[in-house]
Amino acid sequence: MVLFGLFVLLLAAVAWFITEAHLSGDNLDRYDGGKRTPINADSPPSAAHHEVVGEMASFVSADSLPSGGSRLSAIRNAMDTMGDAADLENLTRIETVAEGVPAEWIFAPNADTSQRLLYIHGGAFTAGSPRSHRPITTALARRLGIAVLAIDYRLMPEASRQDGIDDCRRAYRWIHTHGPGNYHRARRVFVAGDSAGGNLTLSLLSWIRDVGAPPVDAAVALSPATDATFSSPSLRSNLETDPMLGPPLKRVVEAPNALLLWFAWLSAKISPAHPSVSPVRGDLQGLAPTLIHVSEAEILRDDAYRYYYKALEAGSPVTLESWEHMVHVWHIFEPRLPEAHQALDHISRFLQPYLLSVPAAPEPAAMAAG
């Protein structure tokens, strides 16, 4: 019995050491407290936003979705169906494969397809697709006049977390040398993503710098998840004000943090403190110009703020804009939400200085990519 007790104590000590030294990462509290004035600080939320909040409450209720394995399928189907509201009129959509990754091009008439944006969708790494996020990709294609490539990276649990990361990296290399029209090589490349896709976007920026991949000209992260260690204060303080993520994650984030860290490690097979899954915990020097959007009401608010302040401290050109009241990734409700329209206009203004205004010279037909 004594030996058994000693064994249990030893096991507990090892678990504690692994949690503290390998899973939790450095304390980032010093990046908390600073805030920005919300873009819509002087405006109440629109009537359409109140409608969206009501619909979110209905969707995430326990009675609205099946239980068990069919729940994830229902969520995936619901997200894809939401994307069907996107307006594809006068836009070209071309299905393609980006170095093994299924994807789709979307671009407007007379678009400069030598300038391209890689879009990485959100969905908690388990849902979402190019179809679900067409309200965003179509809006960006129209506003920017460039080719938007939305990728269908591999999702958990069928694939590993690393598989999704690798898909983004392969697609990024591919987009530099493949286009949808008459131009083969890219003259400008941008990266954008929301939520989980925002995480993958920010992780990709560090990887591009570290491996010397072709540089990205600018990036956009919408309501990004930047820290897989569950340490951001708003994960708990904003549970009641986030109608989309708050209800389904309430029980999760109220669990002991050590248990959450072990669950994250075992499910992703990557330490939650590793920069590939927690970009805020990496070196943020020398990164591309980046715009971050976040809602003051969502649980990922402090993920965005922590990344912003740490990147500023490291000298990287990062801009953060916040909105009051908005649901998580409210941009996806374009054109229904006036606030979504406004936020997408801000993205367009941010990227405009990095776009080339001189049309590219056509390349030989043999170099054109389909």
Side-chain angles (χ1 to χ4, degrees):
M1 182 63 72
V2 173
L3 288 177
F4 178 75
L6 290 174
F7 174 76
V8 171
L9 286 175
L10 178 62
L11 192 63
V14 170
W16 177 86
F17 176 79
I18 293 174
T19 301
E20 293 298 314
H22 182 61
L23 304 183
S24 61
D26 295 335
N27 189 310
L28 299 179
D29 289 354
R30 64 187 182 278
Y31 300 112
D32 296 330
K35 292 291 180 283
R36 309 282 290 174
T37 301
I39 297 297
N40 62 339
D42 298 326
S43 304
S46 64
H49 182 263
H50 288 300
E51 294 174 1
V52 167
V53 169
E55 291 168 9
M56 286 297 101
S58 174
F59 178 75
V60 302
S61 67
D63 297 331
S64 65
L65 292 170
S67 59
S70 58
R71 185 179 182 88
L72 180 55
S73 294
I75 291 173
R76 289 175 174 175
N77 290 335
M79 287 187 67
D80 281 349
T81 300
M82 285 175 59
D84 292 342
D87 180 12
L88 286 164
E89 185 176 359
N90 296 324
L91 293 176
T92 298
R93 187 182 76 86
I94 301 175
E95 294 185 2
T96 188
V97 179
E99 197 64 35
V101 183
E104 67 178 28
W105 288 108
I106 292 181
F107 53 97
N110 301 317
D112 181 356
T113 59
S114 74
Q115 302 190 74
R116 302 163 193 161
L117 184 146
L118 174 66
Y119 194 84
I120 308 173
H121 69 78
F125 309 103
T126 62
S129 68
R131 176 185 167 194
S132 68
H133 282 66
R134 283 178 194 155
I136 295 176
T137 55
T138 55
L140 292 176
R142 283 195 171 92
R143 283 169 167 80
L144 300 173
I146 64 177
V148 176
L149 180 72
I151 60 172
D152 199 7
Y153 61 89
R154 286 172 287 179
L155 301 174
M156 299 171 65
E158 295 90 345
S160 71
R161 183 80 164 78
Q162 187 62 47
D163 287 336
I165 294 170
D166 291 341
D167 286 351
C168 295
R169 294 172 178 178
R170 287 202 303 275
Y172 178 77
R173 286 194 182 275
W174 184 88
I175 199 174
H176 279 270
T177 54
H178 296 77
N182 294 325
Y183 304 119
H184 187 64
R185 291 197 173 275
R187 297 190 302 153
R188 288 288 186 271
V189 171
F190 308 95
V191 180
D194 65 279
S195 193
N199 172 285
L200 291 164
T201 294
L202 298 177
S203 175
L204 186 64
L205 297 184
S206 296
W207 174 81
I208 291 166
R209 176 203 59 202
D210 293 344
V211 303
V216 60
D217 292 283
V220 178
L222 311 177
S223 299
T226 70
D227 191 354
T229 70
F230 301 96
S231 65
S232 294
S234 59
L235 284 176
R236 294 161 179 84
S237 65
N238 279 5
L239 278 172
E240 301 303 323
T241 59
D242 187 330
M244 185 182 296
L245 300 183
L249 292 181
K250 183 176 178 62
R251 290 185 180 180
V252 175
V253 299
E254 289 179 346
N257 203 60
L259 183 63
L260 294 177
L261 291 171
W262 277 82
F263 173 78
W265 185 27
L266 294 174
S267 61
K269 307 298 189 294
I270 304 173
S271 167
H274 194 279
S276 65
V277 295
S278 289
V280 72
R281 297 189 173 277
D283 176 10
L284 302 188
Q285 297 182 71
L287 299 177
T290 302
L291 172 66
I292 298 173
H293 278 184
V294 71
S295 167
E296 294 293 328
E298 65 176 304
I299 64 174
L300 293 180
R301 179 196 65 197
D302 291 337
D303 272 39
Y305 274 108
R306 284 182 168 190
Y307 185 93
Y308 168 69
Y309 284 114
K310 186 177 179 183
L312 277 185
E313 181 182 79
S316 289
V318 59
T319 300
L320 185 144
E321 295 179 339
S322 76
W323 270 255
E324 290 274 20
H325 313 296
M326 293 298 101
V327 297
H328 177 64
V329 192
W330 64 100
H331 313 68
I332 204 166
F333 295 100
E334 163 78 358
R336 181 180 177 188
L337 279 188
E339 295 91 346
H341 194 83
Q342 181 187 42
L344 287 159
D345 284 346
H346 277 243
I347 294 170
S348 178
R349 283 200 293 271
F350 172 79
L351 292 178
Q352 284 298 327
Y354 304 102
L355 292 169
L356 293 174
S357 58
V358 179
E363 293 194 10
M367 295 293 287

